[in-house]
Amino acid sequence: MPPIYLLSTSNNVTAQTTWGHLAESWNRTTQYDDLLASAKTVSSLPKSSKRIVVVIHCGPKTGSTTLRVACSFNLEETCGIDRKLGGTNHAPLGYMDEDKLYPLMRKCTNTSHFCAKGISMPYDVDAFEDVQFVHMFPFRKYDEWAASALKQAYDRKGERGCERAKALLENDCAPSPMEIDFRKYGKAVLAKFKEGVVKRMEDKKEEHVFLLYHHRELHDVLGRLSVAYGVPTLPGSNGHGKEVRPQGTCGGEVLRMFHACFSGRLMELT
């Protein structure tokens, strides 16, 4: 497994750690600075003479609304891809469909940024011999993320949304199709995505960099990547998709049920 890099613009620190250490250290109350403090400081991210492709792995409550809009407009500006082709919710083309995403990467060589959600990189996808991928995964403290994701159920449907979330949890801890879904948390997304990519790196000799960033520093981190790799910035990455949210949330019982169902899995990710 290649190293996991961390980049904090507020601390002006670039560091690297192992997946094993990250998996053991990243619990419900871990802060980004905790991971940074236990990682090894390095001078820079890995460099390459190849084309740089930044893949931003989006997840709920970590800026995904902002990123969907930014990536849709960016694809239209740099590659002529009509932003309406991505479907609803301002999603860019290939956002949740690797069958469209990887051909798009080969076609749109003027584009440096691609946003994706819940995708994998299947082994049978032809090797990207001329690309260095930089995969960005968002960090948000787990308990804070869970509370915000559950609140989204209330924001959408009020008490009905809360009742729906509770009913799923009561049904043998069925996963939610909405934001409050453990599988969509950054650590779970990274754990799943890395599995196929590591084998591609070994067998196909592809170049992949894994970067864990604090979700609040998205725009600044993209700026650092622009300087480090000589790629454009992503216009619109400093937006605020849901800056104003309604008052209120689901009752504490629903959140406790979610933790009882899923939160033990956080430390079981390998």
Side-chain angles (χ1 to χ4, degrees):
M1 175 68 195
I4 309 295
Y5 289 87
L6 300 94
L7 198 167
S8 170
T9 58
S10 58
N11 294 298
N12 196 28
V13 172
T14 302
Q16 72 174 46
T17 187
T18 65
W19 167 252
H21 179 74
L22 194 70
E24 291 178 1
S25 305
W26 188 347
N27 59 41
R28 285 178 52 178
T29 60
T30 300
Q31 304 274 10
Y32 189 78
D33 283 353
D34 298 330
L35 299 178
L36 198 65
S38 64
K40 177 185 176 182
T41 301
V42 295
S43 58
S44 65
L45 296 170
K47 300 294 179 65
S48 176
S49 60
K50 297 181 178 182
R51 174 192 170 205
I52 301 298
V53 171
V54 179
V55 184
I56 310 173
H57 295 260
C58 303
K61 318 319 300 175
T62 53
S64 60
T65 301
T66 293
L67 284 164
R68 286 198 305 270
V69 174
C71 280
S72 293
F73 275 89
N74 189 56
L75 275 179
E76 189 169 65
E77 289 295 316
T78 59
C79 197
I81 302 294
D82 188 341
R83 60 182 182 271
K84 295 179 182 178
L85 292 178
T88 59
N89 296 327
H90 305 288
L93 187 65
Y95 184 63
M96 297 178 67
D97 187 349
E98 53 253 28
D99 290 338
K100 295 179 180 178
L101 179 63
Y102 297 119
L104 185 65
M105 289 178 177
R106 298 184 197 277
K107 173 185 176 182
C108 297
T109 56
N110 289 332
T111 298
S112 300
H113 301 90
F114 296 86
C115 290
K117 176 184 175 184
I119 57 103
S120 62
M121 198 167 190
Y123 189 79
D124 59 1
V125 172
D126 289 344
F128 284 84
E129 297 177 352
D130 61 341
V131 169
Q132 182 189 49
F133 289 96
V134 179
H135 298 279
M136 297 178 62
F137 296 89
F139 175 91
R140 185 172 184 178
K141 188 172 77 170
Y142 180 79
D143 277 10
E144 178 184 290
W145 170 84
S148 182
L150 181 59
K151 175 174 168 48
Q152 193 64 39
Y154 181 88
D155 291 352
R156 290 180 185 277
K157 298 287 186 178
E159 289 299 332
R160 286 187 299 145
C162 299
E163 291 167 4
R164 172 59 175 160
K166 183 178 180 181
L168 289 170
L169 294 168
E170 290 175 332
N171 183 25
D172 293 328
C173 296
S176 171
M178 307 305 290
E179 288 81 358
I180 186 69
D181 182 350
F182 175 79
R183 299 169 299 178
K184 298 173 185 175
Y185 181 60
K187 185 180 180 182
V189 173
L190 173 55
K192 181 179 179 181
F193 182 79
K194 69 175 178 60
E195 295 174 358
V197 172
V198 170
K199 185 167 179 57
R200 291 180 63 90
M201 294 177 74
E202 295 171 349
D203 295 353
K204 300 177 184 286
K205 308 306 178 186
E206 284 183 340
E207 295 184 16
H208 296 263
V209 176
F210 295 87
L211 175 63
L212 182 69
Y213 70 97
H214 194 287
H215 76 107
R216 294 288 187 190
E217 295 192 346
L218 168 66
H219 180 68
D220 292 335
V221 169
L222 285 170
R224 293 291 182 92
L225 295 183
S226 174
V227 173
Y229 290 112
V231 298
T233 57
L234 177 63
S237 63
N238 58 342
H240 299 280
K242 295 176 182 175
E243 191 169 10
V244 179
R245 302 181 69 183
Q247 294 292 318
T249 189
C250 299
E253 179 188 4
V254 184
L255 186 58
R256 287 191 292 272
M257 290 174 66
F258 172 80
H259 285 309
C261 280
F262 296 108
S263 298
R265 303 180 190 181
L266 187 67
M267 303 308 295
E268 297 172 357
L269 295 169
T270 59

